[in-house]
Structure formats: structure tokens, C-alpha cells
Amino acid sequence: MTDSTTSIPAESSPAAPTEALLIQEQGSFAFGGTVVERPDGATVHTDHGYVQYQIPVNAKKLPIVMWHGYGQSARTWETTPDGREGFQTLFLRRGYPVYLIDQPRRGRASTSSEGIYVPGANDEEFFFTDQAFWDAFRIGEWDRGEQPRFHAGVQFPQDPESISQYLRSGAASVGPDGFDDATREVFSDAVAALFDRIGPAILLIHSTCGAFGWRAASKSENVKAVVGYEIGPYSYPISEPPAAVPFDIPELEPWVAADLIPDESFDRLARIPIQIVWGDFLQEHAYEWAPYVARSKQFVAALRERGGDAENLFLPEIGIHGNTHFPFSDLNSLEIADQLSAWLARKGLDG
Amino acid sequence: MTDSTTSIPAESSPAAPTEALLIQEQGSFAFGGTVVERPDGATVHTDHGYVQYQIPVNAKKLPIVMWHGYGQSARTWETTPDGREGFQTLFLRRGYPVYLIDQPRRGRASTSSEGIYVPGANDEEFFFTDQAFWDAFRIGEWDRGEQPRFHAGVQFPQDPESISQYLRSGAASVGPDGFDDATREVFSDAVAALFDRIGPAILLIHSTCGAFGWRAASKSENVKAVVGYEIGPYSYPISEPPAAVPFDIPELEPWVAADLIPDESFDRLARIPIQIVWGDFLQEHAYEWAPYVARSKQFVAALRERGGDAENLFLPEIGIHGNTHFPFSDLNSLEIADQLSAWLARKGLDG
């Protein structure tokens, strides 16, 4: 892991959490989507996304649009598991208009053109058990029937209420949310339509959102930068597919697979600054995480080859240790926010 | 419809929508729920609700908790279809802390102990077509294959974007959300736990939320008042079931059925002020709406018999015309908000 940036100094004195927020405007609306005509002649408005926004007084020019990952909703960005302000409120305090997405078929955007069976916690095929969550997201280890264990130095609260809040942060989809081309198009078209409506803005994505976010960014000239936290799937130019990446867990195949998009779409990504941020304990969980890191390096290299401004930031390499898969809501989230502020300033996006 | 109150003067000069909002604190958290132990030994935190809150500077003592209806989410209260401020922001401006619920298995609270098939818009059993929405919620009539028509004087915007926003406001559940006793207990227990956490507060409910809201209010001493907008199911004391109410549409049975709860639970409802607010066009849609109105009158009568302070407010009877099933987001929503403000003041709940 050698392609990280050097350390960035923290932003000086953001508003303290006890100061009042001055909000000029707030609300929510649906974006994108389609209208289905049913065989019986009825119509249904569906497959749109949902966004909730707040614009602070004396706002900076470029809003930040925050897009959650797999099995999550806009809640990702709102409040930390231990009840502190999430990136939503932190970046409002720093002057950015903030837009929080529930992607199509998720959260408050929950109508779908296609039906789906949603497994319950008692079903055999239920995926996100507490133990699976704990391990996959690198908080520590948690064997069934045992108490949860924490990685030494992990930036995660250990009180029962915070743990419960964390384990209640998920949200299932009410329709297909896989990585087939049709679903990628539905989700990325919707978010591109959001950017068409709100104008130039910065996009934050998390985790599996890479399956949709890179395509969305390639579809709207209004996406002025992308910062990805621990991204799963990556897009590459169809004329230059990346080399194969080895992985041991067959179920990871859809996450590791390269999404090939038209060269001109990929070239669009090479025209905006992109940063991908990684937490700690990647070595300890290499069997699951090494393939994504490898893919991310290929992605950055492919962008740079085409003149792009892209980088991986491995937090431990700049002295920030203990982060999980959710760096923006870990105990040191202010430090992570400072990294984002500094990067945006360095790229001239904080005007 | 004779048991409505007399006209209430509008509140004087709430903050204009162009003034900045002063927010002391905002965030979100999960409430209630359970932990499922799976046959394989894994655990899952599930069946909780989700709430998003904002506390204004110099807040009044009692927050307002807003709970959506069937096929909806917290979005109900955020923004009107034509993009104006919803009750969330209007009542923040009026000094109330505001809590918006996504009930268990809905929106951002979307994990369920039990699985379910969620129909897509193309499925035969899909319920909320645009045309069904239009008719059931009394905007006007909309025949399949035709353009939507509007009731004369309806308080609803007629531009295509507002109509699209309205028809994209729904959210399906990712688990059972029917009116069986088990589901009513899951939902009402969760919301009672929310009130236990936040302390004394006012509860707003909408539509089908009556299936869960009355029970929730009966379970926490912290529920200090309930205002229901066009409520479907009602609870009654088990020792005095209400007389049968005729209805023509067999599918309405679960909505019209009386929910019988222990007398001491019902008595708790008789100790707090309760108002149920009704819009316009009830006569035109009597085949669907008359049973609910009849049930509401029985509910109010039963509460009064036990010394309760309950009333139905039929808006047309106080000169407010044209409201749909969503009075709080109709074109005259400020007038509806003024009614609520005045009622809260009259009950001494606005301190």
C-alpha cells in the first residue's frame, strides 16, 4: 500500500457541536425514476431515488452529496453509533449544503418496478447477522454464541447502546439491488438526474456504492469530484479491462468483478479529482479486503494513465489508526472529516 | 358530521419560510426492536424503528413526534408535493423539537424478523398504482389510460412535477405490516420505547397509523396528546366493543375492524387530549370513507363516556375546504398548521 498521499493538516476550528446550526433551507424530494405502465392500464411512478437536503446560511458553492453503501440508507451519514454528529451535520457546520441519498428501492425511495423476496432475520438466507457485520466491517471478531471482541485500538465505541445502534443501522432493499447491468443503470441514471437538478456538486460514496457511483459520476458533468470510502466494485474502460485479481471467497465475485464501461465514460472520471479512503486492519482481514484494495489500485492507475487526478489514501500510512469500514462515523470521525476538508481545499472545491 | 369544533383563529406570524432556521441539535437513532437468535447461533438486531430529530434553539418543552401512514415514511412530513416546507420545518419554526418516525420494517428502519415478498409495480398484486392513490386519497378521479382529474377546489397542485413528487412519496415495508395482533404489538412497543427515551411529547399520526398509534399512546405516560389526520383503524375497550359499521368494499375489512384493547389501556387514552382532523370530499367518496368517519365518531364517543377530551374536527365545517387525505401537505397546509398550533395552545401544550 504505497500510493497514499502524505499527511494533511487538520482544518482549523470548525464550529463546536454545541453551537447552533443556521439552516437557510431544508427539505426532500424524489429524483430520477420511471413510470411503469401495467398490463391492466394503470401506471406506477417507481424506481426513483430520494434525497434529503439542508443548505446552511452563507453556504459554499458546491454541495456535498452523500450516497450510502450496501444494506444501508442515508442514516450512514447522519449520526455516529455513539450519538455524535455525523458527516451530514459536520459538513453543514463547515458551510457545505448537504444532500443525503436513499438510493432507488431503499429507505424512503422504496417502490420498485420489480418485486423481490426480502429475507427476515429468521430466514436461512438472511445475510447481515450481527456476527457477519462485525467481521466484514473490521471492528473485530464475534463468534456465534460469544460476546463481541474488538481489534486492539479500533476506533469504535464499546458500550452496549452504541453497539446496538450500529447493528440497527441497516436497511434492506424492496427491489433488486444487484450488480447486473440493468440495476446499475437504474441507480446511476437516477443519481445523474439528481446532479442534473441540483447543479455542480461533490459526490461521496461508501463501500458497494462503487457499483453505481462511478457510473453515475461518468454520466453528469455536474459531478465535480468523488471521494469514496472503502469502495467495493470499480469501473474500468471497456477497451482496457484490468488484470484478474485473485480472491479466496467465491461469494465475493460480484464485488470483485470489474465493471466495464465505455471509454468515453471512463475518460469523464479522469477529468475530476478522485480520492479513495481506506481504514485500518486491512491486513488482518486480507482474505476479504485485499481484492478490493487491489482493484482500487488498478482503478487509480487506469485513471492516472489517462491523465486523471486520482489517489488512494490509506489512513494508517498518515498516522491515523484504528478505522473500520465506516471511517466517517468512527470515534475519530472529526479527524476523517478534517482529511476531507483539507482535500477539498487542496482541489479548490471549498469556495 | 356534527361533532366538530368551532373555528380556531390562526396563529399570528410564524417565522417566514425565508428566515434561517436555528437548530440546536439534530440527528437520528434506532428505537425499540428485538434481537433474534437464529437457529445457526447468530444474532440479528431487528424490528426497531428509526427516528430523525431536530431541536430548535429556545425550544418549547414538548416535542412533536410525527408518524406516517400506510405505504409512507417520514417523508410524509418533510416537504409538500409542490416543494414547500412540510410540518417538520413549519413546527421547528414554531419552536417545537420535531421527531420524524420511520416505523419498524419501513424506510430507514428496514430490517425485519420475518421475511416478505414485496410486489413490484409490474406485479398483479401491486396495490398503490397512481390511479388507486389518486382516488383513495380524494384528489379527484383518474381512470386508467386517461389524464388525472381534480376535484373542484381541491387543495392540490396541478403541475406535472408536483404530481410526480406526490406519486413518488410512497415506501413499501420489508416485513409484515398488517393489522394482526403481533404486528400491532411490535410497532406500538417500539414507539412506546421511543417516548420512554425522549420524554413527554405530542404524537401526530396519519391514516392507517391508527392501527398502531392508539396502542402506542396507551403504553407510554409520556404521550401527552394525540392529533390524528384522517385515521383508519381505531382502538376500543374490550369490555365495550363498538356497534358494527356497514361498509361496501370487502377489502376494507381490516381497516374498519375495531381493535379491542384492555380497558385500562383505553382509559389511558381518555386521560390525554385527542383530536382527529378530516379533510374534504368525504361525501363524494363515502363508499370508502364513511366507515372510518363512523368509527372515529364511535371512538370519540367512547373516550368522552370515560371522561376523555376527544373531538373530531371536520375542516369544511369551520370553513376550510378542498383538503385531501394529506391535509398537512395540501396547498393550504399553513392553515392546517395554524389549526394545530391553536389546538395545542388551547390544551396548554405549547409552553
Side-chain angles (χ1 to χ4, degrees):
Chain A
M1 300 184 194
T2 54
D3 63 340
S4 83
T5 60
T6 52
S7 182
I8 296 170
E11 174 169 285
S12 58
S13 64
T18 48
E19 281 177 34
L21 275 164
L22 271 163
I23 304 294
Q24 189 60 55
E25 191 190 333
Q26 64 178 19
S28 66
F29 57 87
F31 58 82
T34 187
V35 179
V36 163
E37 296 201 28
R38 292 162 50 88
D40 62 9
T43 55
V44 182
H45 285 62
T46 188
D47 286 347
H48 46 270
Y50 156 99
V51 73
Q52 147 191 2
Y53 67 93
Q54 291 181 292
I55 301 170
V57 169
N58 299 323
K60 293 179 191 281
K61 272 190 205 139
L62 294 182
I64 304 181
V65 177
M66 304 182 183
W67 188 354
H68 60 79
Y70 188 72
Q72 296 277 311
S73 71
R75 169 136 169 58
T76 296
W77 311 99
E78 288 179 333
T79 299
T80 67
D82 54 330
R84 292 172 297 114
E85 294 180 344
F87 263 28
Q88 172 191 29
T89 304
L90 291 181
F91 282 90
L92 281 168
R93 290 195 183 282
R94 295 177 185 200
Y96 293 91
V98 172
Y99 289 71
L100 300 189
I101 289 178
D102 284 348
Q103 75 187 19
R105 304 174 183 167
R106 185 77 56 84
R108 297 178 185 164
S110 291
T111 62
S112 172
S113 55
E114 295 179 55
I116 198 172
Y117 179 77
V118 183
N122 283 306
D123 289 11
E124 200 180 332
E125 68 266 43
F126 188 85
F127 180 67
F128 265 128
T129 64
D130 298 341
Q131 288 71 28
F133 229 102
W134 209 253
D135 187 78
F137 297 160
R138 308 197 316 277
I139 300 163
E141 269 143 35
W142 189 349
D143 297 327
R144 296 172 190 173
E146 307 279 332
Q147 288 298 305
R149 298 194 305 278
F150 297 82
H151 284 311
V154 69
Q155 297 277 2
F156 195 87
Q158 304 200 10
D159 62 292
E161 173 61 15
S162 297
I163 294 171
S164 172
Q165 286 293 328
Y166 182 71
L167 294 170
R168 296 183 185 284
S169 65
S173 280
V174 301
D177 63 355
F179 302 159
D180 56 288
D181 195 66
T183 304
R184 288 188 202 256
E185 285 300 287
V186 168
F187 291 11
S188 59
D189 281 349
V191 173
L194 170 65
F195 276 85
D196 289 346
R197 172 166 168 169
I198 67 176
I202 298 146
L203 177 61
L204 300 196
I205 58 178
H206 179 222
S207 190
T208 295
C209 186
F212 319 111
W214 302 123
R215 285 200 190 197
S218 80
K219 286 177 178 178
S220 175
E221 292 291 330
N222 284 335
V223 179
K224 294 304 181 193
V226 183
V227 176
Y229 291 91
E230 301 227 336
I231 300 302
Y234 291 90
S235 301
Y236 304 89
I238 197 161
S239 74
E240 293 182 80
V245 152
F247 57 99
D248 294 334
I249 311 173
E251 288 77 11
L252 295 189
E253 201 280 330
W255 274 262
V256 180
D259 174 37
L260 302 179
I261 61 176
D263 285 31
E264 56 271 28
S265 301
F266 191 80
D267 286 342
R268 155 85 195 120
L269 298 178
R271 292 200 295 275
I272 57 173
I274 289 177
Q275 186 187 51
I276 301 142
V277 180
W278 297 92
D280 208 340
F281 313 113
L282 291 168
Q283 268 88 359
E284 290 84 338
H285 295 255
Y287 60 98
E288 182 165 1
W289 287 93
Y292 306 133
V293 172
R295 281 293 192 219
S296 189
K297 290 182 175 180
Q298 290 176 325
F299 177 70
V300 165
L303 286 167
R304 287 181 176 176
E305 226 169 76
R306 289 166 181 255
D309 171 11
E311 66 187 16
N312 276 293
L313 171 62
F314 295 98
L315 293 168
E317 294 190 4
I318 58 165
I320 299 179
H321 296 282
N323 282 106
T324 74
H325 184 50
F326 292 72
F328 41 77
S329 59
D330 283 339
L331 290 175
N332 61 344
S333 56
L334 275 172
E335 233 181 329
I336 310 303
D338 288 346
Q339 289 297 319
L340 176 55
S341 288
W343 186 83
L344 293 171
R346 211 171 57 185
K347 302 301 174 187
L349 300 167
D350 66 340
Chain B
M1 301 181 194
T2 55
D3 63 341
S4 85
T5 60
T6 51
S7 182
I8 296 170
E11 173 168 284
S12 58
S13 65
T18 46
E19 282 177 32
L21 275 164
L22 271 162
I23 304 294
Q24 189 59 56
E25 192 189 333
Q26 65 178 19
S28 67
F29 56 88
F31 57 84
T34 188
V35 179
V36 163
E37 296 200 29
R38 292 161 50 90
D40 63 8
T43 55
V44 182
H45 284 62
T46 187
D47 286 348
H48 46 268
Y50 156 99
V51 72
Q52 146 192 3
Y53 67 92
Q54 290 180 293
I55 300 170
V57 170
N58 299 323
K60 291 179 192 281
K61 272 189 205 140
L62 295 182
I64 304 181
V65 178
M66 305 182 183
W67 189 354
H68 59 80
Y70 189 73
Q72 295 277 311
S73 71
R75 168 135 168 59
T76 295
W77 311 101
E78 289 180 332
T79 300
T80 67
D82 53 330
R84 291 172 298 116
E85 293 180 346
F87 263 29
Q88 173 191 28
T89 303
L90 291 182
F91 282 90
L92 281 168
R93 291 194 182 282
R94 294 177 187 201
Y96 293 91
V98 172
Y99 289 71
L100 301 188
I101 289 178
D102 284 349
Q103 76 187 18
R105 305 172 184 167
R106 186 77 55 84
R108 296 179 186 163
S110 292
T111 63
S112 172
S113 55
E114 296 178 56
I116 197 172
Y117 179 78
V118 184
N122 284 307
D123 289 10
E124 201 180 331
E125 68 266 45
F126 188 86
F127 180 68
F128 265 127
T129 64
D130 298 341
Q131 288 71 29
F133 228 103
W134 209 252
D135 187 77
F137 298 159
R138 308 196 316 277
I139 299 163
E141 271 143 33
W142 189 348
D143 296 328
R144 296 174 190 171
E146 307 280 331
Q147 287 299 305
R149 298 194 306 278
F150 297 82
H151 283 310
V154 69
Q155 296 279 1
F156 195 88
Q158 303 200 11
D159 62 292
E161 173 61 15
S162 297
I163 294 170
S164 172
Q165 286 293 327
Y166 182 72
L167 294 170
R168 297 185 185 282
S169 64
S173 280
V174 301
D177 63 355
F179 302 160
D180 56 287
D181 196 65
T183 304
R184 288 187 202 256
E185 286 299 288
V186 168
F187 291 11
S188 59
D189 281 348
V191 173
L194 171 65
F195 276 85
D196 288 346
R197 171 166 168 169
I198 66 176
I202 299 147
L203 177 61
L204 300 196
I205 58 178
H206 179 222
S207 189
T208 295
C209 185
F212 320 110
W214 303 124
R215 287 199 188 196
S218 80
K219 287 178 179 177
S220 175
E221 293 291 330
N222 285 336
V223 179
K224 294 304 180 193
V226 183
V227 176
Y229 291 90
E230 302 227 333
I231 300 303
Y234 291 91
S235 301
Y236 304 89
I238 196 161
S239 73
E240 294 183 79
V245 151
F247 57 98
D248 294 334
I249 310 173
E251 288 77 12
L252 295 189
E253 202 281 330
W255 275 262
V256 179
D259 175 36
L260 302 179
I261 61 176
D263 285 31
E264 56 271 28
S265 301
F266 191 79
D267 286 342
R268 156 86 195 120
L269 298 178
R271 293 201 295 274
I272 56 172
I274 289 177
Q275 186 186 51
I276 300 142
V277 180
W278 297 93
D280 208 339
F281 313 112
L282 290 168
Q283 268 87 0
E284 290 84 338
H285 295 255
Y287 61 97
E288 181 164 2
W289 287 93
Y292 306 133
V293 172
R295 281 292 192 219
S296 190
K297 289 181 175 180
Q298 290 176 327
F299 177 69
V300 165
L303 286 167
R304 286 182 177 175
E305 227 169 76
R306 289 166 180 254
D309 172 11
E311 66 187 16
N312 275 293
L313 171 63
F314 295 99
L315 294 168
E317 294 190 3
I318 58 166
I320 299 180
H321 296 283
N323 282 107
T324 74
H325 184 52
F326 292 72
F328 41 77
S329 59
D330 283 340
L331 289 176
N332 61 344
S333 57
L334 275 172
E335 234 181 328
I336 309 305
D338 287 346
Q339 289 296 320
L340 176 55
S341 287
W343 186 84
L344 293 170
R346 212 171 57 184
K347 302 300 174 187
L349 300 167
D350 66 340

